[in-house]
Amino acid sequence: MNHTEIKTLGALKKASWTSRSIKEELREHLISKLQAGTPTFTGIHGYEHTVIPELERAILSKHNINLLGLRGQAKTRLARQMVNLLDEWMPIVAGSEINDDPLNPISRYATELIKEKGDDTPIHWVHRSERFAEKLATPDVTVADIVGDVDPIKAANLKLSYADDRVIHYGMIPRANRSIFVINELPDLQARIQVALFNILQEGDIQIRGFKLRLPLDMQFVFTANPEDYTNRGSIVTPLKDRIGSQILTHYPETVAIARTITDQEANLDERQKTKVHVPNLVKDLIEEIGFVARESEYIDEKSGISARMSITAFENLMSTAERRMLLSGDATTAIRYSDIMGIIPAITGKVELVYEGEQEGADEVAKILIGDATRSLFDDYFPKIEKLVKDNQEDPYGDVLAWFFEQSGFELEDNLTDKEYKLMLDSITPLEELVNKYQPETVEEDRYFLKEFILFGLVEYKKLSKYKLTTGMRFNDLYGNYISGLG
């Protein structure tokens, strides 16, 4: 059907257009996609065998849906993609505030217009992208905001008494009739507002300032909620909870590989960063591992969660740190260095909720601890496990590196070295080259220097070397040598 040619109610009837509810629309388009083997939700990774099948079952059941999960778990994105399961175009009575179905009008405006003009009633077409409304629930949201209120200015302009229902100004929900309506953070909504929602879900009527309008609104409700909110800021009232057909639990990525895919997709990088800054695979794993260790950290409130946005913003900061260093040093291109990772600390501190122990440490220190824990976690995947004690008859893979530091007075690695200077500094520690050749022989040349630096920081995390933050970089020392010099 060519919607551009249908301008009146009569033409719509001749085209044999039939009305159906929004839930039927969603169900039928989902069935078509499932039969064709077409992905229902795209760009959402890690939910293929968990959340998405449950969401599809809820749509097939024509349920209103509550997505329950911690922050940064793609709840709103899932809801927004449901729009793709709607008809591309939907006819409404032209001028209707609440998207009246031309064949089943519910507002006084639409019914009177059709009564007056009949088949000549003008029709307007709405694209599916406009059939989505979203409201963040906050304690200051009122019934007037989401349901409606009496408009005294309209009453004065139209010279109507307050007893006339034409003085009503519709709120967000009636205006989203025949659309998907998302309420984010539902527990934050005051109980009385939730009761108003319950009335709409159960009875299909709205009550505004004494008016009881029988408006059988056709809605697909999607709610999102954070489990933390149930205890901290509010709860979902039982009658409303009982009317939500399906409650679906979301979750964080279950593997580093999935988390990497999400970050690669979502990171907002400049084209120059993509082409001029080389990123070793280990770097990407390390960024994601920080999120995984943060979710287990004793310093962080696990109920608050660690959003996937932390890894995304951390990666963006990391790329910008390397780019800034490249610009200052005058290099044309560069590769990520381990020391660049300190540049992601601001992306971590703003994304974590600390418990008492974390507050005592301080947000910056907790961020450094997380980076260190992630380094330890990945170190054994690339190099031999570092033992606390090495037996006399056992060869220590890191013995030559530690001996090098024992013989030297120290090693300083400045932040803004040119790439040439940086490589020369690391090449001066010859046992590092031998370790990379022995345990990671297939590493491409661009990644080798990151691995060398990674070994140094790994030895620090396992307390085989010490490091000190300098104003312009980092100094590494042998632990035992420092102890001796301290005694002297």
Side-chain angles (χ1 to χ4, degrees):
M1 175 173 30
N2 188 352
H3 71 277
T4 56
E5 297 176 358
I6 298 173
K7 306 287 189 184
T8 63
L9 177 57
L12 187 68
K13 289 176 180 176
K14 286 179 184 176
S16 301
W17 185 84
T18 54
S19 297
R20 55 182 174 165
S21 72
I22 184 170
K23 288 184 168 67
E24 286 169 345
E25 268 185 68
L26 291 165
R27 175 182 159 81
E28 289 177 25
H29 284 290
L30 175 59
I31 288 171
S32 298
K33 281 183 176 285
L34 292 174
Q35 288 175 334
T38 308
T40 315
F41 297 90
T42 58
I44 298 172
H45 306 281
Y47 283 175
E48 293 84 357
H49 306 294
T50 54
V51 176
I52 289 175
E54 290 190 357
L55 187 54
E56 289 172 345
R57 287 192 283 269
I59 293 169
L60 291 173
S61 300
K62 302 182 187 177
H63 285 172
N64 291 311
I65 299 161
N66 182 27
L67 296 171
L68 181 64
L70 296 172
R71 56 183 174 170
Q73 292 185 351
K75 300 187 293 293
T76 307
R77 174 169 289 198
L78 282 168
R80 286 175 180 162
Q81 287 207 17
M82 286 175 64
V83 169
N84 297 327
L85 297 174
L86 297 174
D87 292 340
E88 186 173 5
W89 294 96
M90 173 186 76
I92 67 167
V93 175
S96 168
E97 291 181 284
I98 61 171
N99 295 332
D100 274 290
D101 181 344
L103 301 185
N104 294 295
I106 58 173
S107 72
R108 177 167 174 172
Y109 164 83
T111 51
E112 289 185 351
L113 185 66
I114 291 172
K115 188 176 180 180
E116 176 191 343
K117 297 197 172 183
D119 284 352
D120 293 328
T121 302
I123 299 299
H124 176 67
W125 291 86
V126 177
H127 192 260
R128 62 184 167 210
S129 60
E130 298 176 61
R131 296 175 64 189
F132 179 89
E134 188 176 3
K135 179 65 178 170
L136 175 62
T138 55
D140 62 338
V141 172
T142 65
V143 173
D145 292 332
I146 63 169
V147 180
D149 203 352
V150 170
D151 184 350
I153 296 174
K154 187 186 284 188
N157 287 342
L158 298 177
K159 296 180 180 174
L160 299 170
S161 77
Y162 286 148
D164 194 312
D165 62 10
R166 285 174 292 179
V167 303
I168 290 173
H169 175 80
Y170 291 112
M172 290 185 71
I173 289 178
R175 289 175 182 274
N177 183 35
R178 301 170 72 202
S179 302
I180 297 168
F181 193 87
V182 177
I183 297 182
N184 287 311
E185 311 302 343
L186 180 60
D188 282 353
L189 212 57
Q190 291 182 52
R192 63 190 180 86
I193 315 295
Q194 292 188 38
V195 170
L197 281 176
F198 158 69
N199 222 38
I200 295 169
L201 264 67
Q202 179 67 17
E203 306 296 339
D205 69 330
I206 60 173
Q207 296 182 32
I208 301 172
R209 299 275 184 176
F211 289 104
K212 185 171 181 180
L213 303 177
R214 183 66 184 169
L215 282 182
L217 298 173
D218 180 20
M219 311 281 293
Q220 171 64 57
F221 281 101
V222 180
F223 305 104
T224 75
N226 188 324
E228 179 194 20
D229 298 339
Y230 283 99
T231 52
N232 283 10
R233 298 196 294 271
S235 62
I236 303 176
V237 298
T238 305
L240 177 59
K241 199 173 183 181
D242 189 48
R243 297 311 188 279
I244 299 172
S246 291
Q247 178 168 280
I248 298 169
L249 302 180
T250 58
H251 56 82
Y252 287 121
E254 294 172 344
T255 66
V256 167
I258 293 171
R260 266 183 61 171
T261 303
I262 294 168
T263 300
D264 285 343
Q265 174 182 284
E266 299 299 322
N268 182 21
L269 302 180
D270 185 89
E271 198 58 41
R272 286 165 294 187
Q273 292 176 328
K274 294 178 184 177
T275 55
K276 295 181 180 295
V277 180
H278 172 70
V279 187
N281 284 330
L282 173 54
V283 173
K284 295 183 178 181
D285 288 347
L286 190 56
I287 291 291
E288 302 306 335
E289 189 66 25
I290 292 167
F292 278 79
V293 299
R295 291 175 192 130
E296 303 293 328
S297 173
E298 61 182 325
Y299 299 115
I300 292 171
D301 183 2
E302 63 180 66
K303 293 178 183 175
S304 177
I306 299 295
S307 167
R309 284 181 282 271
M310 188 182 84
S311 297
I312 296 163
T313 54
F315 186 61
E316 291 167 349
N317 259 16
L318 179 64
M319 295 294 281
S320 296
T321 302
E323 182 184 32
R324 178 180 180 275
R325 171 175 51 72
M326 178 185 72
L327 295 169
L328 290 172
S329 67
D331 286 324
T333 60
T334 192
I336 297 289
R337 302 174 188 174
Y338 187 99
S339 44
D340 293 331
I341 290 174
M342 296 303 124
I344 74 171
I345 289 174
I348 298 174
T349 54
K351 297 280 193 300
V352 296
E353 296 289 335
L354 303 179
V355 296
Y356 176 76
E357 290 80 3
E359 297 287 358
Q360 294 298 103
E361 290 285 344
D364 271 28
E365 192 58 36
V366 168
K368 291 173 186 174
I369 291 170
L370 295 177
I371 293 169
D373 289 347
T375 300
R376 287 170 64 103
S377 178
L378 291 179
F379 194 88
D380 295 348
D381 294 343
Y382 288 81
F383 297 100
K385 184 175 176 60
I386 299 177
E387 303 291 347
K388 287 185 180 179
L389 296 172
V390 180
K391 296 176 183 177
D392 292 339
N393 61 348
Q394 183 180 348
E395 183 185 351
D396 182 1
Y398 306 99
D400 290 344
V401 176
L402 298 179
W404 188 94
F405 276 92
F406 183 75
E407 292 165 6
Q408 304 295 322
S409 58
F411 175 79
E412 291 184 9
L413 199 59
E414 294 191 5
D415 294 336
N416 292 329
L417 294 173
T418 64
D419 271 9
K420 185 177 179 181
E421 292 167 338
Y422 167 75
K423 290 175 181 179
L424 283 172
M425 288 292 292
L426 287 172
D427 283 342
S428 69
I429 310 175
T430 49
L432 290 179
E433 180 76 18
E434 293 164 10
L435 274 172
V436 173
N437 286 339
K438 184 173 182 180
Y439 296 106
Q440 295 295 327
E442 297 180 4
T443 303
V444 296
E445 186 63 28
E446 292 171 301
D447 294 2
R448 295 177 74 84
Y449 289 92
F450 183 87
L451 278 180
K452 290 181 181 183
E453 207 179 349
F454 183 63
I455 293 170
L456 294 182
F457 280 89
L459 289 168
V460 169
E461 289 303 323
Y462 281 98
K463 297 184 169 42
K464 295 293 185 178
L465 293 177
S466 62
K467 69 174 171 61
Y468 302 94
K469 182 74 177 80
L470 305 174
T471 306
T472 57
M474 198 73 69
R475 180 182 177 85
F476 296 87
N477 284 90
D478 167 65
L479 281 176
Y480 187 64
N482 285 342
Y483 177 69
I484 294 294
S485 62
L487 289 176

